[in-house]
Amino acid sequence: MASDTPGERNIAVKRRGAWQPRRVVITRDARTYAHGVAMAERCAGAGLEVDELSGNAVRMPRAASERAAYALAKNTLAITVAPPSKLRLQPIAPSADWRIDLAQGCPAHCSYCYLAGSLKGPPITRAYANLDDLFDAAAAVEGAGTITSRSAARVGEGTTYEASCYTDPLAIEHLTGNLSRAVEHFGAWKADVQLRFTTKFADVAPLLALDHRGRTRMRASVNPAAYAPFEGGTDRVADRLTALGAMAEVGYPIGLTIAPIIAAAGWREAYSELIAEAALALRGIDALDLTVELITHRFTESSRAVLRSWYPGSKLDMGDTGRAVKYTKFGTKKIVYDRETMAELKGFFHDRIARDLPAARILYWT
Ligand code: SF4
């Protein structure tokens, strides 16, 4: 539970236990970057053995079963170099003008993880050593955004860069330092720009004292505590909210990503409690700059198949009842809630947020 006294929030930030991968490797090229070496040293300092690869390919040892291969990959951190494709930043609607990937992969085990449909190969976590190349790529598209920059309601955010599309950057920050470097980079960047990240983790201690200049917006990705079994390996929602309050206390703009919204039995009560808990955690913060993003549960046929193989015991409903099919502009088929359910959810969230979090700006519903 958050402290009633705002000044006490910083010391209340905590988490369950930082991720300790079973295997850490660094590629040949990553070792040519000072930041790559720094990440390897951080890992060694955390008591992890770092395997120096002779090349740049990260090969996984043969596993006895698909299940064992998944577990091994999820327990592997690879320090690598972001490939050229990552240096051509892409728009990422509706969140931000551009996507900036500081890493790829995540050690948590969410039954609905969107990465299941977007990443190819074993789900290892790769942390990129060539951050300066990524920052140069970001500079090259500053002022050329087509998503938030074209939105009358959001143009005040400047050119926006989303760092949580292919990873949860806070989940691995203790081993990479990538997020801190990005926050400092954006803080020192004298331009109308904003870094954005969303997280299901709570250890914001490394970020609190950084010179962020208000150019990074942290969002806590939250769901009701009752849905915790769907979010294996993440930090408790109450801790994420406390962390969010601590970030707001030191002047970061903040937000809630309520995602994925799951219309399971009892959802009204569960989400009512969640929104009330968020309001309590953020109570009394001066000059609160709070946004809310609302994302309903969705999946593709292929991500559903991957998730069912990764989490065969999950109780998360991924059936076709109460669902509708939607096509993206790229022709990809997505399975979403049907029109009736969507309308009911949308009405509820807009009403409840207006009532309990009147200072919040809802950025989008999807
Ligand atoms: Fe996927 Fe986010 Fe969960 Fe990580 S925290 S497993 S990225 S949904």
Side-chain angles (χ1 to χ4, degrees), residues 74 106 108-110 112-115 167-168 200-201 234:
K74 274 283 189 179
C106 171
H109 306 273
C110 299
Y112 48 69
C113 183
Y114 57 95
L115 295 180
T167 189
D168 186 317
K200 292 186 188 291
F201 288 80
T234 62

Side-chain angles (χ1 to χ4, degrees), residues 23-32 36-37 40-41 44 49-57 77 79:
R23 182 171 178 237
V24 181
V25 300
I26 180 167
T27 61
R28 184 188 63 211
D29 286 358
R31 291 200 295 280
T32 65
V37 173
E41 287 172 355
E49 196 176 315
V50 180
D51 187 4
E52 295 192 350
L53 302 182
S54 58
N56 290 318
L77 173 66
I79 301 169

Side-chain angles (χ1 to χ4, degrees), residues 241-253:
L241 292 172
T242 302
L244 194 66
M247 292 286 276
E249 287 283 1
V250 296
Y252 282 90

